[in-house]
Amino acid sequence: MESIAKEKASLAWALRAGEPAFVGADSPRLLAAVKGAPARVVTYGLAAGADVRPQRVEDRGDAGSRFTVAGFPPVNLQLIGLHQVANALAALAVAREWMLDPAAVVRALEAYKPLKGRMEVQHASGATLLVDHYNANPDSMRAALATLATWPHAKRRIAVLGDMRELGGTAAALHREVGAAVREAELWVVGDHAEDYAAGAAQAGVSVRRFTDKPAVAAALRGELGPGTVVLIKASRGAALEDVVAGLPVESQEA
């Protein structure tokens, strides 16, 4: 994670003195890595000290989020999760820097829809599915789990997690950490690191179900779906958890 922060920060170090570098204020590692860079750092995010931050944020579940930022009309963002609000704040920071039309910027943000497989909301047998099989790392896993834990009006929450790939020698420990981060939800795990997830969850007192393969996950889910149930399905691209979704009675999506 330190190496990733330094690589991102290299962009700020490559700029000339006074040129703007837009930096996420919610990442202490990144803030530390750009400290002393010649660029003029403009911060954005949910952190209290950010240059561009929301005055109010409302989590609206599958309708996305509503938030307000000084100088812009209220934003009704269709993307799911508070981490997506932070991403939208990056766009607002750039827009403010170059004095773009605030209303036009907000219209563009509101028109943006989730890409397939990236916190995409689907429905099956009355349940809500948060489908996020495009990619995964420890930070994005925690963000998705936080979204699941605070999903409004949920009667039951299930996190179906597969492997995070390309973590090297730290993989087992990082899977345990993510398992320990599960809150207000059951944990269902599949893949090479299922036991690592389970070990972390056990420390947090979280209920865990282990599965030998993806068809077994889909078969079990089919019997548990219903109104009030919210299911997060997330793993790295290589784990192909869309195979689980393919085994569910998902309602057809509008084009």
Side-chain angles (χ1 to χ4, degrees):
M1 298 304 292
E2 295 289 346
S3 297
I4 291 172
K6 289 179 180 178
E7 184 66 20
K8 289 182 177 181
S10 66
L11 296 171
W13 286 91
L15 294 174
R16 292 188 292 268
E19 292 180 330
F22 301 92
V23 179
D26 301 320
S27 171
R29 287 188 181 94
L30 188 54
L31 290 175
V34 299
K35 189 174 182 180
R40 173 170 52 86
V41 173
V42 179
T43 59
Y44 64 87
L46 304 177
D51 297 321
V52 178
R53 66 183 301 269
Q55 297 166 318
R56 291 182 298 277
V57 180
E58 177 189 357
D59 186 348
R60 304 173 67 199
D62 58 4
S65 301
R66 178 181 173 86
F67 65 95
T68 58
V69 173
F72 294 89
V75 181
N76 293 296
L77 192 68
Q78 295 191 60
L79 304 179
I80 304 303
L82 292 181
H83 58 291
Q84 296 287 15
V85 172
N87 290 335
L89 291 171
L92 295 183
V94 172
R96 191 181 72 171
E97 176 72 20
W98 277 282
M99 296 181 289
L100 303 182
D101 176 42
V105 170
V106 169
R107 284 196 300 270
L109 282 174
E110 291 182 337
Y112 188 79
K113 296 181 179 180
L115 298 176
K116 186 173 180 60
R118 293 191 174 190
M119 283 306 265
E120 180 185 9
V121 176
Q122 299 189 29
H123 298 91
S125 301
T128 298
L129 309 179
L130 307 180
V131 180
D132 197 0
H133 55 65
Y134 184 84
N135 205 356
N137 59 48
D139 283 346
S140 71
M141 280 288 196
R142 291 187 187 94
L145 289 169
T147 299
L148 177 65
T150 58
W151 195 264
H153 312 302
K155 297 177 181 178
R156 182 183 184 188
R157 299 177 176 90
I158 302 172
V160 177
L161 303 186
D163 291 342
M164 297 179 288
R165 301 291 182 91
E166 301 175 358
L167 295 178
T170 62
L174 291 172
H175 281 82
R176 288 194 295 271
E177 289 179 12
V178 169
V182 177
R183 296 289 184 274
E184 307 297 331
E186 305 164 37
L187 177 61
W188 293 20
V189 291
V190 64
D192 295 339
H193 288 283
E195 290 302 324
D196 295 318
Y197 278 134
Q203 297 174 1
V206 173
S207 172
V208 183
R209 291 182 65 177
R210 303 166 180 80
F211 294 87
T212 56
D213 54 34
K214 290 176 285 187
V217 178
L221 269 180
R222 286 196 296 271
E224 302 290 339
L225 298 176
T229 297
V230 182
V231 183
L232 169 67
I233 301 174
K234 184 167 176 62
S236 284
R237 179 83 287 277
L241 282 198
E242 64 268 26
D243 295 343
V244 172
V245 180
L248 303 177
V250 176
E251 298 173 9
S252 62
Q253 303 292 301
E254 294 182 2

